[in-house]
Amino acid sequence: MEKRHLALKKLLAAVEKELLHKPDRKTLDRLSLLAGFQDWDSFQDALHGDASADENYLSEK
């Protein structure tokens, strides 16, 4: 029983560590592309500022 408890405790610690891990810049840029933004900075500007997602799309005229 003690071995299972220790294994479960280690597993929980590993999961908690991964949940607290901040993604790197490359991952954030890729996620921003999925949301329709050019990069993480433009996503943050739109989220916290007056910028619009429309500014990030290229015009096809």
Side-chain angles (χ1 to χ4, degrees):
M1 185 69 164
E2 183 65 30
K3 287 184 180 182
R4 286 186 184 176
H5 181 69
L6 183 58
L8 183 59
K9 205 171 191 180
K10 284 184 178 182
L11 177 62
L12 181 59
V15 169
E16 286 176 344
K17 182 180 177 184
E18 191 61 33
L19 289 174
L20 295 175
H21 175 72
K22 184 178 178 182
D24 64 359
R25 180 57 185 244
K26 187 176 181 180
T27 302
L28 295 172
D29 283 342
R30 288 180 177 172
L31 290 171
S32 298
L33 282 172
L34 289 173
F37 294 88
Q38 295 297 318
D39 56 21
W40 180 247
D41 290 331
S42 60
F43 173 73
Q44 289 293 306
D45 288 343
L47 188 64
H48 300 293
D50 297 329
S52 167
D54 295 336
E55 296 173 3
N56 291 294
Y57 288 104
L58 298 175
S59 176
E60 294 185 20
K61 293 180 182 181

